Structure formats: structure tokens, C-alpha cells
Amino acid sequence: EAGVAQSPRYKIIEKRQSVAFWCNPISGHATLYWYQQILGQGPKLLIQFQNNGVVDDSQLPKDRFSAERLKGVDSTLKIQPAKLEDSAVYLCASSLGRQIEAFFGQGTRLTVV
Amino acid sequence: AQSVAQPEDQVNVAEGNPLTVKCTYSVSGNPYLFWYVQYPNRGLQFLLKYITGDNLVKGSYGFEAEFNKSQTSFHLKKPSALVSDSALYFCAVTKGGGSYIPTFGRGTSLIVHP
């Protein structure tokens, strides 16, 4: 089965610019997660969708980050404006259910300069 | 708030020797516990999980983990390490029966020497 697809793989932007990441989960997976992984740390959950509804976004910096999941399938995560501390790998994951193991994409490495 | 601790940043073991990667957790109620592995330039891959039932769970690539409720631990083990097991290992917890917000540890780098 095809895995979780993410694009782009790498992105370099200047601070105060905007950026968007795209994720295509495994077909049929109702739950979709976006994580931020800073170098040397574990993934930190930013937002969790169940189908196209938001289940949890308590750790999403809503003044600059936004995410949507159209029709309960693909998802985009946007940062506007970016700050230096947003430099990280952004991981998308999906699962059949919220208590079931997740499948991760390869991530997007964002560098803000 | 729930949390996960992986007390060792790095574990070194010789090939053929047993390995243990430690994980302790804090969560109210019954935990759902997971181990993931991350190889260089690859996404995280699921290894094994504990939801309920037998405290010893077996997973991929010969790994196993033991759930210890009294010590709130979920240590990852393998009887005989391979050089190819060298990778970054993450423990994660989510609260069973309630909200399912996964919390990950900071990771442990496992280095298996030939």
C-alpha cells in the first residue's frame, strides 16, 4: 500500500515569509496528524484531524499556523509569517483510528533564515 | 498533563548482545504505549504497542517491550542486537479511553557496534 506522501521535502525561506506543506495520507485513514520535530527532540503534536474535523489543536500557534483537511483526505499546514524558531521537520502521519498506531511521511525540513 | 521520559540520549551495545532502551511515562488512567524507530532520512516507523492484555508485547524486527504499571515503564528490548538496529527510537503515550493526544519522548539513539 502507498505510504503517507508529503511535499516538499525541503524548504528554505526568509523570516516573515509564508510557507505551506502538503500531506496525502494513506487511503481510508480517518485520522491525520501534523507534528513539529525540532532537532534533538521528539515529535510534538500540532493538530489532529478526525476526517475533516479538528480533534485537537491545543499546541498549534494559531497566530501564525493554520491547517485544513479538505474533504477528509489531503491536508495542508501553513505558516505565516515564519519565525527563525519555526525551523524544524514537519511530519504528517495518518492512522485508521485515534488509538491505533500511525504511519508517518518522510517529513518536510523547513529552514527559516 | 501526560509525559514521556527517555532517560538515555544514547545507548551503545555490541552486536549480538541484548539491548534495552528505557521509557517511563506519566498519564492519568490507562495508557496506550507505542515504540517507533526512525532511520536516517526516513519517517518514523511503528515497532510495537501496548493497549491492553499481556504485559509483554512483541513487535517488528525481533523487538519486544514490557509494560510495568507499578513502575510506569515500557522498556524496549531485543535479545541479540544487530548493527542494522542502529537508529533513533521514540516512545510515545496516549491516554486510553479518553482523549487521544500522542506525546513523544525526546528519543534515544541506539548504536550497535560490530
Side-chain angles (χ1 to χ4, degrees):
Chain A
E1 88 188 337
V4 176
Q6 288 189 248
S7 67
R9 287 294 312 279
Y10 305 93
K11 190 75 176 179
I12 300 175
I13 62 172
E14 295 182 350
K15 59 183 179 184
R16 291 187 290 274
Q17 285 188 324
S18 63
V19 64
F21 312 127
W22 173 81
C23 173
N24 180 234
I26 294 173
S27 178
H29 281 196
T31 308
L32 186 145
Y33 309 86
W34 282 103
Y35 290 90
Q36 179 192 59
Q37 186 176 18
I38 293 173
L39 188 65
Q41 299 181 21
K44 172 186 150 185
L45 181 69
L46 292 175
I47 189 167
Q48 179 182 170
F49 292 93
Q50 184 72 11
N51 296 309
N52 61 348
V54 175
V55 173
D56 184 85
D57 62 359
S58 58
Q59 299 187 104
L60 186 74
K62 298 180 188 63
D63 58 333
R64 299 185 299 107
F65 286 65
S66 64
E68 60 180 2
R69 188 179 185 193
L70 300 174
K71 299 181 181 178
V73 184
D74 291 7
S75 178
T76 56
L77 176 70
K78 297 180 181 178
I79 308 174
Q80 182 178 12
K83 293 185 175 181
L84 296 176
E85 58 261 36
D86 298 332
S87 294
V89 176
Y90 291 84
L91 298 167
C92 179
S94 69
S95 69
L96 285 169
R98 291 158 61 196
Q99 68 272 46
I100 300 174
E101 63 271 18
F103 292 80
F104 284 78
Q106 289 189 281
T108 297
R109 183 177 298 277
L110 173 68
T111 302
V112 183
V113 298
Chain B
Q2 62 194 42
S3 64
V4 175
Q6 293 183 241
E8 301 153 319
D9 288 337
Q10 186 171 301
V11 170
N12 291 276
V13 64
E15 187 173 33
N17 283 2
L19 69 88
T20 299
V21 182
K22 296 179 180 178
C23 171
T24 59
Y25 66 90
S26 173
V27 67
S28 60
N30 295 321
Y32 291 173
L33 294 155
F34 301 82
W35 275 102
Y36 290 87
V37 60
Q38 187 173 34
Y39 298 101
N41 299 314
R42 302 275 297 275
L44 276 76
Q45 298 176 34
F46 169 74
L47 273 181
L48 50 78
K49 67 181 177 184
Y50 172 83
I51 303 296
T52 187
D54 194 350
N55 288 344
L56 183 65
V57 293
K58 296 185 182 296
S60 308
Y61 313 120
F63 283 93
E64 59 189 29
E66 185 167 13
F67 170 64
N68 188 316
K69 188 172 183 178
S70 63
Q71 296 185 6
T72 61
S73 67
F74 190 57
H75 300 331
L76 181 69
K77 299 182 180 184
K78 187 174 182 181
S80 179
L82 300 172
V83 172
S84 57
D85 292 330
S86 298
L88 196 54
Y89 290 81
F90 291 95
C91 181
V93 66
T94 189
K95 180 180 174 181
S99 63
Y100 301 100
I101 302 173
T103 300
F104 281 76
R106 60 182 298 143
T108 298
S109 177
L110 173 67
I111 299 174
V112 181
H113 302 276

